[in-house]
Amino acid sequence: MPELPEVEHVARGLRPHVLNHKIIDVTFSEAVKSGKASGKETIIKQIALDDFKKFVTNTTIELIERRSKYIIFHLMKEHHQTIYCVGHLGMAGAFFVKPSVEDIPIPNYKKHWHVQFKLSNGQMMIYSDIRRFGEFKILDESAFKTFNQNIAPEPFDEHAMDYFLNQCKQKKFKNKPIKQVIMDHSVVSGCGNIYACEALHLARILPMHITHTLSTQKKKKLFKCIVDVLNKGIQYGGSSISDYRNVEGESGDMQNKFNVYGLKQCNTCGHTISTIVIATRNTHYCEKCQK
Ligand SMILES: [Zn+2]
């Protein structure tokens, strides 16, 4: 699943091609249309396709924001009223900006396009998704405010560490394994399975420790390590695990920088990597480096 660094690169890749352009039409794939017709919420969530199209058409893309693992399009309607189109890439979603679907450079993504936004500059902003776990929602001002409040501050914000330390004390989280807690976006925003494993390794903390048993000093160290691995992920263009592709159809290099995730031997000490399932997610750790 794309995590914060991968989504950050998708947002960065989209901006130069689509900002300040108008959406003049929206087209859905047959899979989206038949899915919605049979009562499944295929990609377009909580709104009928006609209504989605009505809301989005004739708006100007004034801002593209990444928030946790979401891409948020601020769409300005006439009279300067803004609506928010909140996108999530699911397991393997990708955006392309091309004159047509035929120009998508990767066959699998060309075949599995699902939403096309026709832009006033003659380009198409195309959402492709091989596994169809991605989603789009339309939120008004107050729904957007609620959405934002339910997610922890961005990890790079100055208040994010205090927020994290406070959330760790809450009844909901204090008796859960630390790895599960840092993957919850109401505790840390944008940290999924891969970066959680890497951050715990960097902090030399075992993933199964119950949150309240860790000292404040250790939790602070862990939070700094989360920020470090997310920054490193951004620096290397994200990882190519889970079919991640940026707007140019490229994957990142971060997978070559992993110290523990998906490896047989620890990149730091050479010890065999151990695996454990925590809250349904495969967790990789080094029993020699992490205590
Ligand atoms: Zn090790």
Side-chain angles (χ1 to χ4, degrees):
M1 185 185 283
E3 302 182 28
L4 186 154
E6 292 78 36
V7 180
E8 176 64 29
H9 275 280
V10 171
R12 287 183 187 183
L14 280 171
R15 287 182 193 120
H17 299 290
V18 308
L19 276 188
N20 301 317
H21 295 296
K22 218 171 189 176
I23 297 171
I24 55 175
D25 198 12
V26 184
T27 316
F28 305 102
S29 69
E30 286 306 317
V32 169
K33 285 192 248 180
S34 61
K36 289 291 272 188
S38 65
K40 282 187 238 155
E41 290 280 280
T42 310
I43 296 175
I44 306 292
K45 307 287 182 190
Q46 301 170 351
I47 187 168
L49 297 185
D50 284 349
D51 289 334
F52 182 91
K53 188 170 167 167
K54 216 182 286 172
F55 270 115
V56 163
T57 305
N58 289 322
T59 62
T60 302
I61 305 173
E62 58 170 3
L63 191 76
I64 297 176
E65 182 188 5
R66 180 200 52 73
R67 179 82 174 93
S68 187
K69 301 178 203 169
Y70 296 91
I71 293 182
I72 300 149
F73 297 87
H74 293 228
L75 303 177
M76 198 173 68
K77 295 172 87 79
E78 288 164 25
H79 314 300
H80 297 279
Q81 188 198 352
T82 304
I83 57 162
Y84 303 86
C85 178
V86 177
H88 192 287
L89 302 168
M91 299 294 284
F95 280 98
F96 298 93
V97 185
K98 299 286 175 194
S100 82
V101 165
E102 290 309 307
D103 300 301
I104 294 176
I106 308 162
N108 236 348
Y109 288 86
K110 189 192 294 187
K111 185 176 165 194
H112 294 280
W113 73 267
H114 291 296
V115 188
Q116 293 189 48
F117 301 86
K118 188 176 184 183
L119 305 177
S120 51
N121 62 353
Q123 297 281 82
M124 293 285 192
M125 180 171 77
I126 304 156
Y127 179 71
S128 296
D129 193 338
I130 295 161
R131 300 183 62 183
R132 291 185 219 162
F133 285 112
E135 59 179 55
F136 287 99
K137 282 179 189 168
I138 299 287
L139 304 182
D140 63 12
E141 195 74 54
S142 86
F144 181 59
K145 207 173 161 191
T146 307
F147 163 85
N148 252 326
Q149 282 166 348
N150 290 335
I151 304 176
E154 285 297 303
F156 316 113
D157 286 3
E158 56 174 329
H159 305 298
M161 187 192 280
D162 288 341
Y163 187 91
F164 162 72
L165 294 172
N166 188 48
Q167 288 294 75
C168 284
K169 290 182 203 154
Q170 303 302 315
K171 210 173 165 187
K172 192 179 166 193
F173 302 116
K174 66 178 186 182
N175 294 316
K176 287 184 176 161
I178 188 65
K179 156 104 180 331
Q180 183 183 354
V181 170
I182 61 173
M183 285 179 61
D184 190 307
H185 79 178
S186 62
V187 181
V188 177
S189 81
C191 183
N193 199 35
I194 296 174
Y195 292 92
C197 289
E198 288 296 321
L200 284 159
H201 183 270
L202 187 62
R204 305 177 79 90
I205 295 170
L206 285 169
M208 58 292 259
H209 279 305
I210 297 303
T211 299
H212 76 84
T213 66
L214 293 172
S215 67
T216 303
Q217 199 188 351
K218 277 200 170 168
K219 281 186 280 219
K220 280 184 175 176
K221 185 181 175 192
L222 173 58
F223 191 81
K224 281 183 188 152
C225 291
I226 293 170
V227 172
D228 283 353
V229 295
L230 291 173
N231 267 326
K232 196 172 166 190
I234 293 173
Q235 187 190 338
Y236 287 101
S239 84
S240 65
I241 308 275
S242 309
D243 299 322
Y244 159 70
R245 290 286 188 276
N246 68 16
V247 174
E248 309 303 329
E250 302 156 344
S251 55
D253 291 324
M254 183 59 186
Q255 68 282 357
N256 302 321
K257 308 289 170 193
F258 290 162
N259 286 314
V260 66
Y261 184 84
L263 301 181
K264 287 200 166 60
Q265 287 173 319
C266 172
N267 213 12
T268 306
C269 75
H271 195 274
T272 305
I273 293 298
S274 308
T275 303
I276 185 177
V277 175
I278 297 177
T280 76
R281 303 303 300 274
N282 252 335
T283 305
H284 303 227
Y285 66 97
C286 172
E287 58 183 20
K288 209 171 162 196
C289 289
Q290 295 169 255
K291 298 291 173 204

Short mmCIF file of all heavy atoms in Angstrom, two decimals, residues 4 15 24 28 30 34 72 74 77 96 100-101 106 125 145 150 160 187 192 194 199-200 251-252 260 264 270 275 282:
data_model
loop_
_atom_site.label_atom_id
_atom_site.label_comp_id
_atom_site.label_asym_id
_atom_site.label_seq_id
_atom_site.Cartn_x
_atom_site.Cartn_y
_atom_site.Cartn_z
N LEU A 4 3.02 7.47 3.13
CA LEU A 4 3.22 8.92 2.99
C LEU A 4 4.22 9.31 1.88
O LEU A 4 3.89 10.14 1.03
CB LEU A 4 3.62 9.50 4.35
CG LEU A 4 3.74 11.02 4.47
CD1 LEU A 4 3.51 11.48 5.90
CD2 LEU A 4 5.06 11.56 3.96
N ARG A 15 0.89 18.25 -9.55
CA ARG A 15 0.74 19.72 -9.48
C ARG A 15 1.12 20.46 -10.75
O ARG A 15 0.32 21.24 -11.26
CB ARG A 15 1.49 20.27 -8.27
CG ARG A 15 0.79 19.94 -6.95
CD ARG A 15 1.52 20.55 -5.75
NE ARG A 15 1.02 19.96 -4.52
CZ ARG A 15 1.75 19.29 -3.65
NH1 ARG A 15 3.05 19.14 -3.84
NH2 ARG A 15 1.20 18.77 -2.57
N ILE A 24 -13.37 19.79 -17.16
CA ILE A 24 -14.53 20.08 -18.02
C ILE A 24 -15.42 18.86 -18.28
O ILE A 24 -16.53 18.99 -18.75
CB ILE A 24 -14.12 20.77 -19.36
CG1 ILE A 24 -13.07 19.94 -20.11
CG2 ILE A 24 -13.57 22.17 -19.10
CD1 ILE A 24 -12.75 20.53 -21.49
N PHE A 28 -16.27 7.57 -16.43
CA PHE A 28 -16.00 6.42 -15.55
C PHE A 28 -15.83 5.15 -16.38
O PHE A 28 -16.46 5.01 -17.44
CB PHE A 28 -17.16 6.23 -14.56
CG PHE A 28 -17.47 7.46 -13.75
CD1 PHE A 28 -18.57 8.25 -14.07
CD2 PHE A 28 -16.66 7.81 -12.69
CE1 PHE A 28 -18.87 9.39 -13.33
CE2 PHE A 28 -16.95 8.95 -11.94
CZ PHE A 28 -18.06 9.74 -12.26
N GLU A 30 -16.25 1.07 -17.29
CA GLU A 30 -17.39 0.14 -17.20
C GLU A 30 -17.41 -0.54 -15.83
O GLU A 30 -18.48 -0.78 -15.27
CB GLU A 30 -17.30 -0.92 -18.31
CG GLU A 30 -17.65 -0.38 -19.70
CD GLU A 30 -19.02 0.32 -19.75
OE1 GLU A 30 -19.98 -0.20 -19.16
OE2 GLU A 30 -19.09 1.42 -20.35
N SER A 34 -20.69 -0.48 -13.61
CA SER A 34 -21.44 -1.69 -13.26
C SER A 34 -21.33 -1.97 -11.76
O SER A 34 -22.29 -2.46 -11.16
CB SER A 34 -20.97 -2.88 -14.10
OG SER A 34 -19.61 -3.12 -13.85
N ILE A 72 -5.67 15.31 -1.71
CA ILE A 72 -6.88 16.13 -1.63
C ILE A 72 -6.85 17.21 -2.70
O ILE A 72 -5.95 18.03 -2.74
CB ILE A 72 -7.03 16.75 -0.23
CG1 ILE A 72 -7.10 15.61 0.81
CG2 ILE A 72 -8.27 17.62 -0.15
CD1 ILE A 72 -6.54 15.98 2.13
N HIS A 74 -8.43 20.50 -3.96
CA HIS A 74 -9.31 21.62 -3.60
C HIS A 74 -9.88 22.15 -4.91
O HIS A 74 -9.14 22.66 -5.75
CB HIS A 74 -8.50 22.73 -2.90
CG HIS A 74 -7.96 22.32 -1.57
ND1 HIS A 74 -8.08 23.09 -0.44
CD2 HIS A 74 -7.29 21.20 -1.18
CE1 HIS A 74 -7.51 22.47 0.59
NE2 HIS A 74 -7.02 21.34 0.17
N LYS A 77 -15.39 26.18 -7.20
CA LYS A 77 -16.56 26.38 -8.05
C LYS A 77 -16.71 27.87 -8.32
O LYS A 77 -15.97 28.68 -7.77
CB LYS A 77 -17.82 25.85 -7.34
CG LYS A 77 -17.81 24.37 -7.12
CD LYS A 77 -18.97 23.93 -6.25
CE LYS A 77 -20.20 23.66 -7.08
NZ LYS A 77 -20.18 22.36 -7.75
N PHE A 96 -2.16 9.42 -13.89
CA PHE A 96 -1.37 9.80 -15.07
C PHE A 96 -2.01 11.05 -15.66
O PHE A 96 -3.23 11.22 -15.58
CB PHE A 96 -1.39 8.67 -16.11
CG PHE A 96 -0.78 7.39 -15.60
CD1 PHE A 96 -1.59 6.42 -15.00
CD2 PHE A 96 0.58 7.17 -15.67
CE1 PHE A 96 -1.03 5.25 -14.49
CE2 PHE A 96 1.15 6.01 -15.17
CZ PHE A 96 0.34 5.04 -14.58
N SER A 100 -4.47 11.06 -23.74
CA SER A 100 -5.52 10.03 -23.69
C SER A 100 -5.01 8.80 -22.96
O SER A 100 -3.81 8.68 -22.68
CB SER A 100 -5.95 9.63 -25.11
OG SER A 100 -5.04 8.69 -25.64
N VAL A 101 -5.93 7.87 -22.66
CA VAL A 101 -5.59 6.62 -21.97
C VAL A 101 -4.52 5.86 -22.75
O VAL A 101 -3.63 5.22 -22.17
CB VAL A 101 -6.87 5.77 -21.78
CG1 VAL A 101 -6.53 4.34 -21.42
CG2 VAL A 101 -7.76 6.38 -20.71
N ILE A 106 2.33 2.16 -19.13
CA ILE A 106 2.38 0.79 -18.59
C ILE A 106 1.07 0.06 -18.94
O ILE A 106 -0.01 0.52 -18.55
CB ILE A 106 2.58 0.81 -17.05
CG1 ILE A 106 3.80 1.69 -16.72
CG2 ILE A 106 2.79 -0.59 -16.49
CD1 ILE A 106 3.85 2.13 -15.28
N MET A 125 -6.54 13.85 -16.77
CA MET A 125 -5.97 13.34 -15.53
C MET A 125 -6.67 12.01 -15.29
O MET A 125 -7.89 11.96 -15.11
CB MET A 125 -6.22 14.31 -14.37
CG MET A 125 -5.65 13.81 -13.05
SD MET A 125 -5.71 15.06 -11.74
CE MET A 125 -7.44 15.01 -11.28
N LYS A 145 -13.44 19.46 7.37
CA LYS A 145 -12.90 19.83 8.67
C LYS A 145 -12.90 18.61 9.60
O LYS A 145 -11.90 18.33 10.28
CB LYS A 145 -13.78 20.95 9.27
CG LYS A 145 -13.07 21.85 10.21
CD LYS A 145 -13.96 23.02 10.62
CE LYS A 145 -13.41 23.64 11.89
NZ LYS A 145 -14.35 24.59 12.49
N ASN A 150 -9.84 14.08 12.39
CA ASN A 150 -9.72 12.67 12.76
C ASN A 150 -8.35 12.08 12.45
O ASN A 150 -8.08 10.93 12.76
CB ASN A 150 -10.81 11.85 12.05
CG ASN A 150 -12.18 12.15 12.61
OD1 ASN A 150 -12.30 12.57 13.76
ND2 ASN A 150 -13.21 11.97 11.81
N ALA A 160 3.47 17.53 16.28
CA ALA A 160 3.14 16.12 16.00
C ALA A 160 3.66 15.17 17.08
O ALA A 160 2.98 14.22 17.45
CB ALA A 160 3.67 15.72 14.64
N VAL A 187 -2.94 8.45 15.32
CA VAL A 187 -1.77 8.58 16.21
C VAL A 187 -0.59 9.20 15.46
O VAL A 187 0.04 10.14 15.92
CB VAL A 187 -1.37 7.21 16.80
CG1 VAL A 187 -0.18 7.35 17.73
CG2 VAL A 187 -2.54 6.57 17.52
N GLY A 192 2.58 3.54 7.30
CA GLY A 192 2.01 2.20 7.11
C GLY A 192 2.98 1.12 7.53
O GLY A 192 3.95 1.38 8.24
N ILE A 194 5.35 -0.77 6.05
CA ILE A 194 6.77 -0.77 5.67
C ILE A 194 7.57 0.21 6.53
O ILE A 194 8.58 -0.14 7.14
CB ILE A 194 6.93 -0.37 4.18
CG1 ILE A 194 6.28 -1.43 3.28
CG2 ILE A 194 8.40 -0.15 3.82
CD1 ILE A 194 6.26 -1.08 1.80
N ALA A 199 11.09 2.13 10.96
CA ALA A 199 11.26 3.09 12.06
C ALA A 199 11.58 2.36 13.37
O ALA A 199 12.45 2.79 14.13
CB ALA A 199 10.02 3.96 12.21
N LEU A 200 10.88 1.25 13.63
CA LEU A 200 11.13 0.49 14.86
C LEU A 200 12.55 -0.09 14.85
O LEU A 200 13.22 -0.14 15.89
CB LEU A 200 10.09 -0.62 15.02
CG LEU A 200 8.73 -0.11 15.51
CD1 LEU A 200 7.62 -1.11 15.15
CD2 LEU A 200 8.73 0.13 17.01
N SER A 251 8.79 3.92 -10.54
CA SER A 251 8.74 3.54 -9.13
C SER A 251 9.94 4.17 -8.43
O SER A 251 10.84 4.68 -9.09
CB SER A 251 8.76 2.02 -8.99
OG SER A 251 9.87 1.50 -9.67
N GLY A 252 9.95 4.12 -7.09
CA GLY A 252 11.05 4.75 -6.35
C GLY A 252 12.19 3.80 -6.06
O GLY A 252 12.19 2.66 -6.52
N VAL A 260 15.33 -3.67 7.17
CA VAL A 260 14.66 -4.82 7.79
C VAL A 260 13.46 -5.32 6.96
O VAL A 260 13.25 -6.52 6.84
CB VAL A 260 14.26 -4.48 9.26
CG1 VAL A 260 13.20 -3.40 9.31
CG2 VAL A 260 13.77 -5.69 10.02
N LYS A 264 15.91 -10.92 4.26
CA LYS A 264 16.20 -12.19 4.93
C LYS A 264 17.19 -11.97 6.08
O LYS A 264 17.14 -12.61 7.10
CB LYS A 264 16.78 -13.19 3.93
CG LYS A 264 15.71 -13.72 2.97
CD LYS A 264 16.16 -15.03 2.33
CE LYS A 264 15.01 -15.74 1.67
NZ LYS A 264 14.38 -14.94 0.60
N GLY A 270 23.43 -8.32 10.06
CA GLY A 270 23.51 -9.58 9.32
C GLY A 270 22.73 -10.73 9.94
O GLY A 270 22.65 -11.83 9.38
N THR A 275 9.93 -12.78 11.67
CA THR A 275 8.63 -12.30 11.20
C THR A 275 7.56 -12.66 12.23
O THR A 275 7.58 -13.74 12.79
CB THR A 275 8.28 -12.96 9.85
OG1 THR A 275 9.33 -12.66 8.94
CG2 THR A 275 6.99 -12.44 9.27
N ASN A 282 2.03 -8.48 8.50
CA ASN A 282 3.33 -9.11 8.58
C ASN A 282 4.38 -8.11 9.05
O ASN A 282 4.54 -7.06 8.44
CB ASN A 282 3.73 -9.61 7.20
CG ASN A 282 3.66 -11.12 7.13
OD1 ASN A 282 3.77 -11.80 8.16
ND2 ASN A 282 3.48 -11.63 5.94
#
